[in-house]
Amino acid sequence: MKSKSEFDYRQLLEGIYYDILPYSGDGEQADYIPALARVNPDQFGMCLKLVDGREFSVRQADTPFSIQSISKVFALAMAMSLKGESIWKRVGKEPSGTAFNSLVQLESERGFPRNPFINAGAIVIADVLLSSLPDADSSFLSFVRSICGNTSVSYDFEVAQSERASGFLNAAIANLLKHHGRISNDIEEVLGFYFRICSVNMSCRDLARAFLAFTNVKPFEYGGFSLTSSQIKRLNAVMQTCGFYDEAGEFSYLVGLPGKSGVGGGIVADCPGRYSVAVWSPRLNGKGNSVLGMKALELLTTRTEESIF
Ligand code: GLN
């Protein structure tokens, strides 16, 4: 086993890419958001960023894609910065064991979302941000642009519009939340903001750079939002247990890193104190997580022997 400093990460990523190729036809890209169905599913990108500043990438690591639920991490970081511990009065921090858009649990638990990464929880967080910020749209973009260091990151209004037009399940979730008094702003306003934050386009490189902040080398402040080391630790804990919906256990078992996936096919993870990594490939498994993304990250932590376990 080589020492970490002499590890050839470039070769490692190339090797991972070739080893996952046999699975490249597996899975289906998300098509419940019509605009996402138009993306070429046969794409793959990966970017690894070490805390010492070195960065390695393969294939389409610079191609922007729809980050979808990965945005929920940024939204939660902002809400934790604004509200501190009191945010947990609005949303839980337990894994749901259900699909990201499930209504069943939400109904039986009287509209209190299990965690901020299922859609119900993220819609509540969107409501918190709307209530706390004079211009939540521009604050969200400022935070994301600042944390990844790319000022061209933006909303994709076509994707947001497309999701709004077909987002009947999310509308049902928002209505159930409103019925139980869990959101205070107008339903349309909350859904509109939620769909916009999901629509943000970023590349693997942008995401790996952004998630370097969560490796918890030091407290951070971006775009006016700051987290202490203790808050970053807790954000990682929620990613670890809830970042992959009803596949959180499987991801923990196979990969062993805190992370977050999105139905655009992106997955971002971080190894506290060591590195952040982003991978993207649009074909998803039945739980809504990228097939090649899961495989690539499993190989990464197996071959580097660097995970949190
Ligand atoms: N915008 C998507 C939705 O609400 C996000 C889901 C996801 O990426 N898992 O359905």
Side-chain angles (χ1 to χ4, degrees):
M1 173 79 195
K2 286 181 175 173
S3 80
K4 307 297 180 207
S5 57
E6 59 187 271
F7 211 96
D8 189 342
Y9 288 99
R10 192 170 308 279
Q11 204 177 42
L12 173 80
L13 295 195
E14 283 294 335
I16 288 173
Y17 174 67
Y18 284 105
D19 290 343
I20 61 172
L21 274 181
Y23 305 97
S24 51
D26 292 1
E28 302 290 335
Q29 77 201 94
D31 58 4
Y32 76 97
I33 302 171
L36 291 188
R38 294 199 283 272
V39 175
N40 171 8
D42 298 314
Q43 300 188 79
F44 175 86
M46 187 169 186
C47 181
L48 174 76
K49 188 155 179 72
L50 307 182
V51 293
D52 66 13
R54 286 179 295 158
E55 203 170 270
F56 304 90
S57 60
V58 276
R59 309 294 137 170
Q60 284 122 315
D62 292 298
T63 305
F65 59 88
S66 195
I67 66 167
Q68 291 298 320
S69 283
I70 294 169
S71 61
K72 294 170 181 171
V73 180
F74 300 130
L76 176 62
M78 291 169 66
M80 287 172 78
S81 167
L82 290 165
K83 297 287 171 194
E85 279 296 292
S86 71
I87 195 68
W88 306 115
K89 293 195 184 112
R90 301 285 308 269
V91 63
K93 44 179 140 51
E94 292 297 337
S96 66
T98 58
F100 59 87
N101 51 10
S102 172
L103 268 171
V104 178
Q105 197 172 54
L106 191 65
E107 186 177 22
S108 66
E109 297 183 0
R110 301 188 56 77
F112 186 72
R114 274 285 174 107
N115 66 64
F117 294 154
I118 51 170
N119 289 7
I123 290 170
V124 167
I125 297 291
D127 182 62
V128 169
L129 296 181
L130 278 173
S131 298
S132 319
L133 298 162
D135 185 348
D137 275 288
S138 71
S139 293
F140 185 82
L141 277 189
S142 306
F143 176 67
V144 175
R145 286 173 177 171
S146 165
I147 199 169
C148 75
N150 180 353
T151 51
S152 67
V153 166
S154 242
Y155 297 120
D156 184 328
F157 293 106
E158 196 196 330
V159 170
Q161 198 54 43
S162 167
E163 184 164 15
R164 180 64 198 101
S166 56
F168 306 113
L169 201 43
N170 282 319
I173 290 171
N175 276 280
L176 193 57
L177 291 167
K178 189 77 176 173
H179 170 77
H180 286 289
R182 307 287 183 186
I183 51 179
S184 28
N185 293 284
D186 174 71
I187 289 176
E188 275 311 312
E189 227 183 293
V190 179
L191 280 176
F193 180 51
Y194 168 75
F195 291 135
R196 281 192 294 284
I197 68 176
C198 289
S199 79
V200 163
N201 285 320
M202 293 171 81
S203 67
C204 288
R205 193 176 308 281
D206 294 328
L207 286 167
R209 288 178 179 175
F211 267 56
L212 200 71
F214 302 127
T215 56
N216 211 1
V217 175
K218 52 181 186 320
F220 70 67
E221 195 268 304
Y222 292 102
F225 298 89
S226 55
L227 289 189
T228 64
S229 291
S230 168
Q231 286 177 308
I232 298 171
K233 176 183 75 178
R234 297 186 192 289
L235 180 59
N236 276 311
V238 182
M239 282 198 270
Q240 184 74 37
T241 51
C242 311
F244 297 83
Y245 320 112
D246 42 348
E247 206 170 34
E250 183 77 355
F251 189 81
S252 230
Y253 181 83
L254 294 175
V255 179
L257 296 175
K260 186 74 202 78
S261 59
V263 293
I267 303 181
V268 204
D270 71 272
C271 189
R274 285 294 307 155
Y275 62 83
S276 54
V277 59
V279 59
W280 167 62
S281 191
R283 291 184 194 274
L284 309 178
N285 64 21
K287 310 280 189 185
N289 299 318
S290 169
V291 174
L292 291 188
M294 297 270 291
K295 291 225 176 288
L297 293 175
E298 180 188 354
L299 291 178
L300 176 77
T301 55
T302 303
R303 291 180 184 174
T304 58
E305 297 180 16
E306 283 195 280
S307 73
I308 65 164
F309 298 110

